[in-house]
Amino acid sequence: MTYEEFYYSIDCKFPYHQESEWKRIIGQSIEIAEDAPFLVLHEICRVPASEKLDKSKHMEMYKYWKQSFVSPVQDIVEPASLSYINKIEISDSEALDIMEKLSAFPKSYNALQVVLFSCPDDDELVDEKYENIVAQWKSAT
């Protein structure tokens, strides 16, 4: 399965209430591409309003995701991830700090998006930082 096929197979279709299926998807993501597990993280964190997910189940899913593979990006993006799960925004300055750290890991697009959507971005500085990092990564290839 290609990255694109994987993306469309889970985008807005994540099986939050089917444990064996979300565990399978997490495992599959690790085999697809370096950024694919963070695509799954994005789905885990941004539960649609139409879905009701108990916080303990949400944390269980996140913890399973985190222990399924090793990447320095996991720890960097964790404050933003946990802010979603706990339904609390991080500050714009914290988001900017996290993005700066993530900029050292080219093509971590999905981790960067988790951070982008985890703060209020009142002055649109976080969005600007996001765009600058994406442009920097794209120009390096």
Side-chain angles (χ1 to χ4, degrees), residues 75-87:
D75 291 332
I76 295 170
V77 78
E78 186 165 63
S81 304
L82 293 175
S83 76
Y84 268 119
I85 294 167
N86 294 313
K87 296 179 176 30

Side-chain angles (χ1 to χ4, degrees), residues 32-45:
I32 290 178
E34 196 173 327
D35 193 41
F38 295 94
L39 175 61
V40 173
L41 175 65
H42 201 256
E43 291 294 318
I44 290 171
C45 290

Side-chain angles (χ1 to χ4, degrees), residues 16-38:
Y16 297 99
H17 303 288
Q18 299 170 333
E19 185 173 333
S20 62
E21 187 61 11
W22 59 253
K23 285 182 175 180
R24 183 193 67 74
I25 289 170
I26 290 169
Q28 184 181 22
S29 72
I30 296 161
E31 297 172 15
I32 290 178
E34 196 173 327
D35 193 41
F38 295 94

